[in-house]
Amino acid sequence: FPYTTLFRSGREESGRLLKPAELTRDDRTLKTMGFGHAVSVTPIQMVMAYAAIANGGKLMRPQIVKEWRNSNGDVVEKNKPVELRRVVSEKTAATIRKMLNRVVNSGTAKRVASQKLPDVLFGGKTGTAEKYNHLTRSYDRNSLVASFIGLAPSEDTRYVCLVLVDDPQ
């Protein structure tokens, strides 16, 4: 995802997915879409997608505040989760969670598994994205965003965490 363009306007910009007619503009686009070229998402969209997988395929409205409390600690207002729609079946979400767990146990994210929390099964996915340069209208192999997005625990998930590193050295 082209991280550098996400906040140019002072607000989060929308992601982008090419229209079918744009997919044939060159012979490279369809070949590279599978690993993320020609697709851009914002960090909140990425977290929402993984949260939907964690929630059994249900896409929820993002919220920051769970509840408001007064000075005595009493709950005065509670925000309830709002389901927007189902995006994948429960079976598909469970399969994806197992795949994400394998990435941590035996794939590219083996270092995520915690020795301090041996009973917690983590799931997640690493990523490296070349940034899109709007001036040259191409991807810049020297300008990258590295990422990891994870679920914990991978079954009955309570946490989704996205880590982005802009131009790692």
Side-chain angles (χ1 to χ4, degrees):
F1 27 95
Y3 180 69
T4 56
T5 64
L6 295 179
F7 298 101
R8 261 189 303 181
S9 65
R11 63 176 178 75
E12 188 171 40
E13 301 201 11
S14 61
R16 185 167 192 292
L17 184 62
L18 294 178
K19 296 179 175 104
E22 295 174 295
L23 295 176
T24 57
R25 66 182 178 197
D26 58 49
D27 64 340
R28 186 173 186 250
T29 303
L30 277 173
K31 295 173 188 172
T32 59
M33 273 186 85
F35 53 87
H37 282 201
V39 177
S40 65
V41 297
T42 66
I44 192 70
Q45 290 169 333
M46 179 73 80
V47 170
M48 285 178 68
Y50 276 74
I53 298 304
N55 289 327
K58 297 175 186 172
L59 181 67
M60 307 301 284
R61 183 174 67 199
Q63 66 181 47
I64 296 172
V65 178
K66 180 179 178 180
E67 60 193 22
W68 298 96
R69 294 178 177 254
N70 63 21
S71 59
N72 295 327
D74 302 319
V75 175
V76 293
E77 182 181 338
K78 188 169 186 154
N79 292 326
K80 294 186 173 129
V82 176
E83 181 182 336
L84 298 175
R85 65 185 173 277
R86 175 168 291 284
V87 291
V88 295
S89 70
E90 281 191 45
K91 182 178 177 184
T92 298
T95 299
I96 294 170
R97 286 193 306 271
K98 287 177 187 168
M99 293 166 69
L100 294 172
N101 182 257
R102 283 196 298 267
V103 170
V104 171
N105 285 328
S106 59
T108 57
K110 284 186 257 183
R111 297 169 87 191
V112 170
S114 174
Q115 301 299 320
K116 295 179 181 179
L117 303 170
D119 297 335
V120 177
L121 297 176
F122 290 85
K125 182 69 181 90
T126 59
T128 305
E130 295 173 349
K131 291 186 197 176
Y132 186 76
N133 184 321
H134 291 280
L135 298 174
T136 63
R137 303 190 83 179
S138 64
Y139 287 91
D140 183 349
R141 293 179 187 264
N142 298 313
S143 187
L144 305 172
V145 174
S147 65
F148 175 78
I149 188 162
L151 312 172
S154 55
E155 290 300 322
D156 195 25
T157 303
R158 296 196 54 209
Y159 303 98
V160 175
C161 180
L162 172 63
V163 177
L164 295 171
V165 182
D166 195 5
D167 281 326
Q169 300 301 313

